[in-house]
Amino acid sequence: MSAKPILYYAPRSPPCRAVLLTAAALGLELDLRLVNVKAGEHKSAEFLKLNAQHTIPVLDDNGTIVSDSHIICSYLADKYAPEGDDSLYPKDAEKRRLVDARLYYDCGHLFPRIRFIVEPVIYFGAGEVPSDRVAYLQKAYDGLEYCLAEGDYLVGDKLTIADLSCIASVSTAEAFAPIESDQFPRLVQWVKRIQALPYYQKNNQEGLDMLVGLVKGLLAERQQK
C-alpha cells in the first residue's frame, strides 16, 4: 500500500487537473498512476474494481476509494487541510453551500459542454467544432461572471476548491470558446488571478496544452483531407 494517496489520472483531463490543483494547494504529494483511456485501461477488470463507472480521476487513500473529481477535491480538503485552516472548503454551512453550488455548476454545466466539443474529435473522428456548441459553451460563462460580482473568487475573497475545479474547465473551454473581455470582464480577471498561482503551470497548464494540442492537431489533420 502506498504511503501517499494514489491518484489514477490522465493529465489531459480537466477533472484530473482539478484534483492536481487541489492537492498542490494543500501541499499534498500524490502517488500518480497514469491511466491510458485511449487504450481502454479505464475499462480493465482491475480498474472497474476501483470505479464501476470507469471514469477518472479515482483516488485510493490507503484503501478508501473516492471517485468524481469534485468529491475527491472536497475529501482532500476536509482530510488534509492544515490545522485551523478550512479556507479551501469552509466548514461553515453557508459558505460550504456556496462552494458546493459552484462545484455542481461545473459538473452540471461547464464540463459537459466541453465534452460535447472535444470528445467527438478525439473519439469519433469529427473534423470540425460546430458553432452552436461553441456558443452553448460560452453561455455557461454567465453564471461564473455573476458569482464574481461578490469578490475576487467564486465564493467571496478567498480561494476555494470551487475555483480550482472551475479553472480546470474554464481554461479548457477558453481554448475553443473565447471569453470576451467586454462581456465577461470579471471572469477574464479571475482567470488571470488563478493563472498566477505558483502551482498552476505544472498542475493545469501542462495538461491543458496536451489536450488542446491533441484536439487542434486532429482537427487540422482532418481538415486537410
Side-chain angles (χ1 to χ4, degrees):
M1 189 71 68
S2 174
K4 307 171 190 173
I6 299 170
L7 183 69
Y8 296 89
Y9 85 120
R12 292 194 305 242
S13 160
C16 293
R17 288 187 264 122
V19 175
L20 294 176
L21 286 166
T22 297
L26 292 165
L28 176 66
E29 190 173 350
L30 299 172
D31 180 350
L32 299 176
R33 307 284 179 91
L34 188 65
V35 178
N36 188 333
V37 175
K38 189 73 171 176
E41 291 180 0
H42 62 308
K43 293 185 178 180
S44 68
E46 182 180 0
F47 190 85
L48 290 174
K49 291 178 182 177
L50 296 172
N51 181 14
Q53 294 176 317
H54 55 77
T55 58
I56 53 172
V58 173
L59 184 79
D60 180 351
D61 187 13
N62 196 32
T64 297
I65 308 301
V66 190
S67 59
D68 184 275
S69 65
H70 306 89
I71 304 301
I72 295 172
C73 290
S74 60
Y75 171 86
L76 292 177
D78 270 339
K79 184 170 181 180
Y80 291 103
E83 185 70 28
D85 181 6
D86 67 346
S87 58
L88 278 179
Y89 195 41
K91 291 182 170 59
D92 175 81
E94 176 63 15
K95 292 179 181 178
R96 179 164 288 208
R97 175 187 68 82
L98 293 173
V99 173
D100 287 342
R102 309 315 185 234
L103 293 174
Y104 296 155
Y105 189 80
D106 180 36
C107 68
H109 294 274
L110 279 171
F111 184 59
R113 300 183 196 199
I114 295 168
R115 292 183 64 183
F116 293 154
I117 287 178
V118 302
E119 289 190 2
V121 178
I122 296 174
Y123 299 114
F124 302 108
E128 64 179 7
V129 176
S131 59
D132 60 337
R133 294 192 180 186
V134 173
Y136 186 51
L137 177 52
Q138 287 172 319
K139 283 186 177 181
Y141 297 153
D142 271 337
L144 299 177
E145 182 74 12
Y146 175 81
C147 293
L148 290 164
E150 301 299 322
D152 286 344
Y153 298 98
L154 291 176
V155 181
D157 290 319
K158 289 188 177 181
L159 181 78
T160 70
I161 59 173
D163 298 286
L164 300 176
S165 286
C166 287
I167 192 61
S169 293
V170 171
S171 59
T172 305
E174 187 179 18
F176 305 98
I179 303 172
E180 301 297 339
S181 59
D182 58 338
Q183 190 174 0
F184 307 110
R186 298 188 192 99
L187 185 58
V188 169
Q189 292 305 311
W190 172 81
V191 170
K192 292 178 180 178
R193 198 171 294 122
I194 306 300
Q195 287 175 335
L197 293 170
Y199 46 81
Y200 177 87
Q201 178 70 29
K202 178 181 178 181
N203 294 287
N204 190 65
Q205 191 64 47
E206 291 180 6
L208 171 62
D209 290 344
M210 292 170 62
L211 176 62
V212 174
L214 172 65
V215 174
K216 292 193 173 182
L218 289 172
L219 288 171
E221 179 183 309
R222 290 165 188 161
Q223 288 167 3
Q224 289 175 357
K225 292 181 179 180

